[in-house]
Amino acid sequence: MNSAWLSSYPSGVPHSVQPEAFQSVGQMLEASFRQNAQRPFSVCMDQWMRYGELDDASAAIGAWLQSRGLAPGAKVAIMLPNVPQFPVTMAGILRAGYTCVNVNPLYTPRELKHQLKDSGATAIVILENFCHTFEEALQDPQVDAAMAHVVVASFGDMLGFWYGKWMTFAVRHLAKLVPAYKLPLTNGRSVTLFAQALAEGSHLTLKPAQTTLDSIAFLQYTGGTTGLSKGAVLTHRNIVAAVLQAEAWFTPAVKREGKGIAQVHDVNSISALPLYHIFALTLCLLTIRWGAHTTLVPNPRDIGGFINVLKKRPFHLLPAVNTLFNALLQHPQFKTVDCSSLCVSQAGGMAASSGTAKHWQEATGSTMIEGWGMSETCAIGTNNPVTASSFSGNIGLPLPGIDIAIKDDAGQSQPQGESGEICIKGPNVMTGYYNQPEETRNAFTPDGYMRTGDIGLMDAQGFIKIVDRKKDMILVSGFNVFPNELENVISTCPGVVECAAIGVPDASQGEAIKVFVVRENSMLTEDEVAKFCQHNLTGYKRPKYIEFRDDLPKSNVGKILRRELRQA
């Protein structure tokens, strides 16, 4: 291992981690639940949950799932926003010996259907707000036949008896955020309310799971180069390693004097990014490892409401994408937020801009710390030292136990300072793509490094800078979008002959999607294409710009040249 970066580590950061200290993610969680039983775990809309309550509720959900007769390792989908039901469900699934399949709640029926079919999920825990989407996905015979158990949560299920009932009523009848749905009880399917499953499970005993570090903990879906998303297989070893790597890296920051933190369990970590996203998920698990508490923000798009949450109590760890940092800065009320306790402003998911970083530091006194990772690496890869006093513009150093090599197309490591593909090896790196042996083979070099598709270089101190992207992937507000998927979908729009999608620079979201369309005749309008995309693609995958063209640039074998479209 080339270890030039180790000498650049902050004092006290170990050079490696030992995931073998635990037998599973469930065991790691249970150790924290017992040790921190009386401490607060989460606060959501001013309703608190202690670790002891998280322990009891997750054991109840896990025991209830076991009582349904699910096979060991069964895939259970989670389609929830940042509400207390998410960590309860996630912990319950893992403790019961099953595999979590995180689903974006804003997926369209087409996207949901693919993920459920590909993962082979036989159960789902879903917020009622999204059941109309699930109902449409169940029209697929394969999904209908496989989905044996459905648990339907309401917004206020875990927000206290009276307040919870009020919130559920408000969401359903005042905000009208629960479209009508009817889930068919075909193929012996059971549909159970979350509160009922919780109550029934509380009278059951959670049986010990036969889980090992090599068992699958999560199927984390990411954009697919072939037009369909694919599931990164994250084992218990991967997840435990990632949490320990994050713990090793972030602990020096939260132990700094003058921030009002006596112990790591005093930390308030903000969960505004969606927990189904690997970045937020890993940092939520770090919060549990610390015995700290997290502030759950169900709707961070409401910037005014988010700011009101930040004003209520000191906060110490704020993970965000560049667009969220920028949105906070642009809101007139943000200057009323007390940021004196903020230890780490962690930027990830997309490139952080130097302008946003400069304004953030001026407004908060906190340095924006940029890192880099992928779904395939549990969001862990490189990070700038959390003790840094200024924004660097690079993605930092490999974290403990990680080896980064800069390789050329032939797989040869490049000399220091020369650019090449960033390739990563470590205990946090996925074992492969679920049921995709060819994609898995293509993802790794012969010597075991995972190819990332990012082009970068490393300096003498081990700091890495991304200079380009090898893939055609578009990065929209931290979400990977592959042009192939967009093109496959939009090409089925009536009146479209062919199309091509690219990313274009965008001040608010890093990149925006632009689609070039060749149409059968001039009767097809931009509005019609946009409406088709709205029905078939989740929000971040929808094009911001649509341009009609008579033809598209192609190679001599007929391949569309996106590079030429980007340069046009």
Side-chain angles (χ1 to χ4, degrees), residues 33-228:
F33 295 167
R34 289 192 299 269
Q35 185 176 348
N36 303 294
Q38 298 307 313
R39 293 196 178 104
F41 160 66
S42 69
V43 58
C44 182
M45 307 186 79
D46 292 326
Q47 303 299 304
W48 290 85
M49 177 165 60
R50 291 180 291 107
Y51 273 92
E53 294 169 309
L54 174 58
D55 185 6
D56 292 343
S58 61
I61 289 297
W64 185 88
L65 287 170
Q66 287 178 338
S67 75
R68 304 293 98 177
L70 274 67
K75 314 301 186 297
V76 182
I78 308 175
M79 196 167 177
L80 299 169
N82 289 12
V83 289
Q85 296 95 309
F86 190 109
V88 165
T89 300
M90 174 188 68
I93 293 169
L94 294 171
R95 295 175 72 185
Y98 305 129
T99 298
C100 296
V101 181
N102 286 323
V103 179
N104 182 343
L106 300 181
Y107 266 172
T108 64
R110 181 193 66 84
E111 293 162 322
L112 175 60
K113 182 169 60 178
H114 164 69
Q115 191 164 327
L116 295 178
K117 288 169 68 173
D118 190 78
S119 66
T122 55
I124 187 171
V125 181
I126 182 171
L127 193 70
E128 61 180 356
N129 304 47
F130 315 113
C131 281
H132 65 291
T133 303
F134 180 53
E135 178 186 4
E136 200 168 327
L138 284 171
Q139 293 176 14
D140 184 284
Q142 189 176 333
V143 176
D144 184 42
M147 193 55 64
H149 308 288
V150 180
V151 178
V152 178
S154 301
F155 193 86
D157 280 341
M158 301 196 74
L159 296 177
F161 183 77
W162 291 113
Y163 184 70
K165 284 187 175 299
W166 159 247
M167 283 306 305
T168 296
F169 175 83
V171 167
R172 288 177 181 169
H173 304 293
L174 301 182
K176 300 188 183 304
L177 293 176
V178 183
Y181 68 90
K182 185 176 181 181
L183 300 180
L185 299 177
T186 48
N187 298 307
R189 180 181 303 113
S190 68
V191 177
T192 308
L193 295 179
F194 186 89
Q196 180 184 344
L198 205 56
E200 291 176 1
S202 67
H203 299 294
L204 302 171
T205 300
L206 180 65
K207 301 181 185 69
Q210 304 303 309
T211 306
T212 71
L213 284 174
D214 295 321
S215 302
I216 304 174
F218 289 88
L219 287 183
Q220 194 70 25
Y221 276 76
T222 183
T225 54
T226 56
L228 294 171

Side-chain angles (χ1 to χ4, degrees), residues 479-534:
F479 291 93
N480 295 344
V481 181
F482 281 83
N484 296 59
E485 179 187 9
L486 306 185
E487 292 160 3
N488 287 349
V489 171
I490 297 171
S491 66
T492 65
C493 175
V496 171
V497 176
E498 61 181 356
C499 59
I502 64 168
V504 296
D506 186 87
S508 65
Q509 53 191 28
E511 284 187 298
I513 298 166
K514 182 173 183 177
V515 175
F516 298 87
V517 175
V518 177
R519 52 188 170 177
E520 287 180 359
N521 57 62
S522 59
M523 298 295 289
L524 181 65
T525 65
E526 287 185 29
D527 187 55
E528 288 173 322
V529 176
K531 285 181 178 177
F532 184 86
C533 292
Q534 187 173 1

Side-chain angles (χ1 to χ4, degrees), residues 235-301:
T235 66
H236 285 258
R237 183 189 310 277
N238 294 151
I239 297 293
V240 171
V243 173
L244 296 182
Q245 287 164 327
E247 178 185 36
W249 200 255
F250 285 108
T251 298
V254 300
K255 286 191 172 180
R256 280 186 293 190
E257 293 184 11
K259 295 294 183 181
I261 304 174
Q263 302 289 338
V264 290
H265 57 65
D266 294 323
V267 167
N268 173 17
S269 176
I270 303 297
S271 290
L273 298 178
L275 289 172
Y276 65 79
H277 192 283
I278 194 65
F279 182 20
L281 178 69
T282 299
L283 290 179
C284 177
L285 291 168
L286 169 63
T287 299
I288 296 175
R289 169 70 177 156
W290 272 340
H293 77 269
T294 188
T295 299
L296 296 170
V297 183
N299 181 21
R301 287 192 177 95

Side-chain angles (χ1 to χ4, degrees), residues 84 407 414:
K407 292 178 176 286
Q414 295 289 81

